Amino acid sequence: MDAGWLETSYMARKGVARGKAGATHELTEAKQGKYHYVYGPYAEPVLKIKPGDIVVAETKDAFEGALKSESDQPTKLLHMPFLNPQCGPIAVEGAEKGDVLAVHIRSIKPRGPQPIGTTALIPEFGGLVATTNTALLNEPLPERVKKMEVTEEGIRFNSKITLPYEPFIGTLGVSPEIEAITSLQPDYYGGNMDLPDVAPGAIVYFPVHHKEAYLYLGDCHATQGDGELCGVAVEMASTTTIQVDLIKNWPIAWPRLENERFIMTIGSTRPMEDAARIAYRELVRWLVEDYGWDKYEAYFFLTQAGRVRLGNMVDPKYTLGASIPKRYLA
Amino acid sequence: MDAGWLETSYMARKGVARGKAGATHELTEAKQGKYHYVYGPYAEPVLKIKPGDIVVAETKDAFEGALKSESDQPTKLLHMPFLNPQCGPIAVEGAEKGDVLAVHIRSIKPRGPQPIGTTALIPEFGGLVATTNTALLNEPLPERVKKMEVTEEGIRFNSKITLPYEPFIGTLGVSPEIEAITSLQPDYYGGNMDLPDVAPGAIVYFPVHHKEAYLYLGDCHATQGDGELCGVAVEMASTTTIQVDLIKNWPIAWPRLENERFIMTIGSTRPMEDAARIAYRELVRWLVEDYGWDKYEAYFFLTQAGRVRLGNMVDPKYTLGASIPKRYLA
Amino acid sequence: MDAGWLETSYMARKGVARGKAGATHELTEAKQGKYHYVYGPYAEPVLKIKPGDIVVAETKDAFEGALKSESDQPTKLLHMPFLNPQCGPIAVEGAEKGDVLAVHIRSIKPRGPQPIGTTALIPEFGGLVATTNTALLNEPLPERVKKMEVTEEGIRFNSKITLPYEPFIGTLGVSPEIEAITSLQPDYYGGNMDLPDVAPGAIVYFPVHHKEAYLYLGDCHATQGDGELCGVAVEMASTTTIQVDLIKNWPIAWPRLENERFIMTIGSTRPMEDAARIAYRELVRWLVEDYGWDKYEAYFFLTQAGRVRLGNMVDPKYTLGASIPKRYLA
Amino acid sequence: MDAGWLETSYMARKGVARGKAGATHELTEAKQGKYHYVYGPYAEPVLKIKPGDIVVAETKDAFEGALKSESDQPTKLLHMPFLNPQCGPIAVEGAEKGDVLAVHIRSIKPRGPQPIGTTALIPEFGGLVATTNTALLNEPLPERVKKMEVTEEGIRFNSKITLPYEPFIGTLGVSPEIEAITSLQPDYYGGNMDLPDVAPGAIVYFPVHHKEAYLYLGDCHATQGDGELCGVAVEMASTTTIQVDLIKNWPIAWPRLENERFIMTIGSTRPMEDAARIAYRELVRWLVEDYGWDKYEAYFFLTQAGRVRLGNMVDPKYTLGASIPKRYLA
């Protein structure tokens, strides 16, 4: 990571803490106690922090560790809606509706006994099977669990293939104003976006809807392909370190992200083309509002230089990120 | 209404109260106090009833009466997410996860000073405009409010056209287990289905997810076309009378409905074909489980005799009902 | 049929033949010779007719009679793209791009030895299965063929159930200008709409794209549920009688339909909500252009009184019709 | 380009010409004469070639050069369906249904007087506007044309920004068996995929449906962002050089592509999630059939390592490519 670009980030330029790191808070399993399965305002905060503070959180994997061996049966061990456990909520001092919470991801480390990584075939769930939404009469695929050793050196997919360790936070966001929504869903407040760019080095910006923001996080992945095809990435428990800042009065409608190379807007909905429309419309707006572009010139420009990353094609809503390299925005 | 068919209804055959009416409870505006904007388990019940009990509820219109004249501006008077106020939650004694709540709609009467009925063009909302989901660069349509006199004799749409009074409950359902979801959305627990068959005479069945079910209702419409095209039916405050029964151990996944003529299953999601798939798959399952059909024969049969009603094409999820006449099921 | 309404139809008021019947042409199997599998301008007309002329066509069933018994295997007997054989093209004198062809359906009679009716489960085809579009890893359903006796008195679905004979033309339309598109697809020129309202008594209007229109028809159904769920209605060979008229200079974008009770616009595309948008936008335009409505008032009106019929949810494009009763348009 | 990888390509290993270059054919504007607007079997070949032969084609831009200045009005100068003119058809000796045509793209050079490049806002067309499919009541955006100088050194987007020259073929494919489909549409036979990976260095594989394949090409882009957001990339006339080979008996359902780094499958349909499903299912099948993977292990693997490229979100069907790095397939 280059301190250089961080100094020019929105977080550093507009944050209450100017991107400077404050106190560090440990959010261990013990301190978290009960994990949460909804993003909402009805739970008591486990932590109160100030803008700039750092949180070191012990996240659980999406199955709360229930799938321990390849002979385990997901349908016996997993119980909707108690999936995808989340750390939080973390109350951020001073955050109010209309503000933006900036979450700078500093590191994600695998945690726990090997094999740490889990993927699985779960009936009626996934991108290439009939689901509870795409409700069909075909028989489901067989259940299957695959366990993998995960270290910061790589993921042992099988005896021949080791995948690079490219961790990111699968589920991250803030509370809606009055809704409490399953942590399996991504939406305007973040949540289960499963977008690989939400990775160490990046800063993610979320529109605040509830007093003190109520930040949640969980569902770290050791790596993931575009779309999270079968619905289950290399799921792992992690120790994840984030730095949180607050930008006052930045009325954005959907999550945004920046890293050293690009700025990105993130949309989540169905069908997938609507997620793409959301992401790209937000990017047009960003270019117009913060970079002074003419609306139609921005539309032309993204037509020629925009990039799209498919996060998930499996969750209750699909997620895409639309981005543009920073080199064009100088 | 023909008492005849009611005696053969699921409610009468399987309900704890056998479809017999019990005590009547008035749920006036005063008793309701604060109306609710989410379907969830976090509010305190306003009423506790027993299976068979009748509730007479004073519902507000979807705008909580804010649009009083045709010169009103929706964007000045309406504030997300505080739309579509709901009566409830009503706790039903003995209801548990895995049960079904039966709601028999007995009557819906317009309530309040004329003109009672309201429809409106609201920016970024509706079936034939760019929205927050179908996010486009086109300019929104102008705002517009239309007020109409509504009586049980008809709806005065304009000086030439009077529409028949065909009231129904736009938003009706039970609490999710741990989620609290905007009353603007329909889903597996009911909610904002905007399906005209949810009308006096019908019995609607909802899967219970939370102890005591926590029933909500609101958003009555004096009439509505298929799809609720602009997103706003003839909205009105009402006095709505329902009879509530409880069916133990009926594990259904989505709302179901019956009236004198047909049985119907209801699906809500995006894109619209997935809502149709949900509804029809549930109907196949119903024929197989309760009427002894072979799965493929049921699939063939619905191909030749199934009927589809489009509820809404405007809410966060689209709603369709799939039905089959009872005469084929004897 | 009431001659009364026909006299007030668009066909009678605007047609070159004023809705008056002209000469009758027999289009027997022998005269047709080779049937066609595309809607396009590259085939030679089998018939040249004048506006007002009547055509009595011998249509084949969608499988060209290949499925003769319930032990037949569709995958062995059906060969893409040689499905859904069509009569035509019929050249209509004087028709030019920008005109409209009016097709008044006078009768549809079952034809051939019993059992005339066929439905089937065909792998990777249908509304509740994975398909070549909704491409999934689930195993396909088993193949199955069901044969049914069909007379004008009814369809013997099984030993208990006889369905009413409610015939309609599944595939009907005109040639695109330069495209030749599989007869399995519906689109702006008509084609495989599978919409049950395309029935005796109705007049269907198609935008002409190619000189002499080049009318095709086939794929008659003895009955069909909304959506044609498994993809195969009660398919039958038929003797179908239509009267064809020509309306000069009526620039419509999609097929339209009228019968005694309503006017309807028809949209076909994916996802299904876009088909609904097309149909309803065309209906707004029709109200504005021919009935003098204000655009937004029409939008409000369809919100309260529009009706939607789902044609198919199985073809390469989905078809919906949006309609409004004629009683409101006086 | 590294001759090394080419020698290991499917084209070199399985092609009739073993990837060896044969005779070179010039397909100049004069030789082409009339360009084509459909992909179909009804046109006479302009060229007959043998497997291995090279074709140097003069493609026109998507507007056939009609938009010459920024004051031109697209609606006055463009006439549906006469858009996106194509070179071809090119008959390839020996090609039959069930074979695969391999098209190795060797170079794409801008052609004609500056400014060569054109993009435009065309009413009812594009990814962030209401269209003829997503049919809405909002007013269209204003028409606009933007011209850009294009050389192999770059594209002068405006006075500040020069985009890299990253050319590719927007529309490329073979004839359907009996259909003739607008060159604006992508589908199972290729066509208007607008996928930036169809670039110099790549080999694209198309399933042959018609005797001699009938290859078409056109619509070259100097560069394009993911999704081709406004519907119009940097369109240009070009001199494009391809080498064509033939692989006998390779029954693939959708186009495939390989370059030095990855193998890719390409799906085109609506909604976008179905295009993603097609592409990924084809990639699972490729891994199973040619690389010996277990089906579920392939599904797991693509979940962790698959990559998705969005081609277009604007054409009659959306296009996505799913890929996997070759380094995992050794």
Side-chain angles (χ1 to χ4, degrees), chain A residues 244-317:
Chain A
V244 179
D245 210 329
L246 177 68
I247 300 176
K248 299 296 294 179
N249 298 313
W250 189 15
I252 63 178
W254 286 87
R256 296 180 178 186
L257 180 152
E258 72 174 315
N259 61 25
E260 185 166 6
R261 292 175 296 118
F262 56 76
I263 63 169
M264 176 181 268
T265 47
I266 304 169
S268 299
T269 193
R270 291 189 171 207
M272 198 186 284
E273 54 265 37
D274 275 359
R277 286 161 169 159
I278 288 170
Y280 261 133
R281 184 168 78 166
E282 289 300 306
L283 195 46
V284 168
R285 289 177 170 175
W286 200 352
L287 293 183
V288 169
E289 288 162 13
D290 285 359
Y291 298 90
W293 284 70
D294 168 76
K295 178 168 72 167
Y296 303 127
E297 195 74 356
Y299 189 29
F300 276 147
F301 186 57
L302 296 178
T303 302
Q304 315 310 344
R307 288 291 174 266
V308 165
R309 185 81 182 263
L310 177 59
N312 88 77
M313 55 184 277
V314 293
D315 295 330
K317 301 192 173 188

Side-chain angles (χ1 to χ4, degrees), chain C residues 37-38 42 80-82 97 124 130-137 139 177-182 185 254 268-271 274-275 277-278 281 284-285 295-296 299 317-318, chain D residues 37-38 42 80-82 97 124 130-137 139 177-182 185 254 268-271 274-275 277-278 281 284-285 295-296 299 317-318:
Chain C
Y37 308 96
V38 291
Y42 302 104
M80 283 280 290
F82 302 103
K97 190 174 177 176
E124 301 258 306
T131 67
T132 49
N133 272 292
T134 303
L136 306 177
L137 296 178
E139 291 297 316
E177 186 163 6
I178 57 174
E179 290 185 287
I181 299 179
T182 170
Q185 178 169 311
W254 287 87
S268 299
T269 194
R270 289 187 174 210
D274 274 359
R277 286 160 168 161
I278 288 170
R281 183 167 80 166
V284 169
R285 289 177 170 175
K295 180 168 71 168
Y296 302 127
Y299 189 28
K317 301 193 174 187
Y318 306 131
Chain D
Y37 309 97
V38 292
Y42 302 105
M80 280 281 290
F82 303 102
K97 189 174 177 175
E124 301 259 305
T131 67
T132 49
N133 271 292
T134 302
L136 306 177
L137 296 178
E139 290 298 316
E177 185 164 4
I178 57 173
E179 290 185 286
I181 299 178
T182 169
Q185 178 169 311
W254 287 88
S268 298
T269 194
R270 288 188 175 209
D274 274 359
R277 286 161 168 161
I278 288 170
R281 183 167 80 166
V284 169
R285 289 176 169 174
K295 180 168 71 169
Y296 302 128
Y299 189 27
K317 300 192 174 188
Y318 306 131

Side-chain angles (χ1 to χ4, degrees), chain B residues 186-242:
Chain B
D187 214 322
Y188 60 92
Y189 54 82
N192 192 23
M193 303 184 293
D194 290 320
L195 183 68
D197 296 309
V198 182
I203 307 171
V204 197
Y205 301 101
F206 297 100
V208 174
H209 293 93
H210 186 265
K211 191 170 154 53
E212 300 193 316
Y214 280 35
L215 177 70
Y216 293 87
L217 75 159
D219 187 29
C220 287
H221 297 165
T223 194
Q224 184 199 291
D226 294 350
E228 199 186 14
L229 190 60
C230 82
V232 186
V234 181
E235 310 290 333
M236 65 173 191
S238 84
T239 303
T240 290
T241 303
I242 56 175

Side-chain angles (χ1 to χ4, degrees), chain D residues 149-329:
Chain D
E149 286 200 7
V150 174
T151 69
E152 291 182 73
E153 277 67 55
I155 301 145
R156 198 168 163 77
F157 183 79
N158 62 26
S159 62
K160 290 186 196 159
I161 294 177
T162 296
L163 296 168
Y165 182 72
E166 297 170 328
F168 69 98
I169 305 178
T171 310
L172 176 67
V174 297
S175 177
E177 185 164 4
I178 57 173
E179 290 185 286
I181 299 178
T182 169
S183 55
L184 294 168
Q185 178 169 311
D187 214 323
Y188 60 92
Y189 54 82
N192 192 24
M193 302 184 293
D194 290 318
L195 183 68
D197 296 309
V198 181
I203 307 171
V204 197
Y205 301 101
F206 298 100
V208 174
H209 294 94
H210 185 265
K211 191 171 152 53
E212 297 192 317
Y214 280 36
L215 177 71
Y216 292 87
L217 75 158
D219 187 29
C220 287
H221 297 165
T223 194
Q224 184 200 291
D226 294 349
E228 199 186 15
L229 191 59
C230 82
V232 186
V234 180
E235 309 290 332
M236 66 174 190
S238 83
T239 303
T240 290
T241 303
I242 57 174
Q243 176 183 338
V244 180
D245 210 328
L246 176 68
I247 299 176
K248 299 296 291 180
N249 297 313
W250 189 16
I252 64 177
W254 287 88
R256 297 180 177 184
L257 179 153
E258 72 174 315
N259 61 26
E260 186 168 4
R261 293 176 295 118
F262 56 76
I263 63 170
M264 175 179 268
T265 47
I266 304 170
S268 298
T269 194
R270 288 188 175 209
M272 198 186 282
E273 55 264 39
D274 274 359
R277 286 161 168 161
I278 288 170
Y280 261 132
R281 183 167 80 166
E282 289 300 307
L283 195 46
V284 169
R285 289 176 169 174
W286 200 351
L287 293 183
V288 169
E289 289 162 12
D290 284 359
Y291 298 91
W293 284 70
D294 167 77
K295 180 168 71 169
Y296 302 128
E297 194 75 355
Y299 189 27
F300 276 147
F301 185 58
L302 296 178
T303 302
Q304 315 310 344
R307 288 291 174 267
V308 165
R309 185 80 184 263
L310 176 60
N312 87 76
M313 55 184 277
V314 292
D315 296 329
K317 300 192 174 188
Y318 306 131
T319 299
L320 285 105
S323 67
I324 194 83
K326 284 182 169 176
R327 68 175 178 276
Y328 292 125
L329 303 174

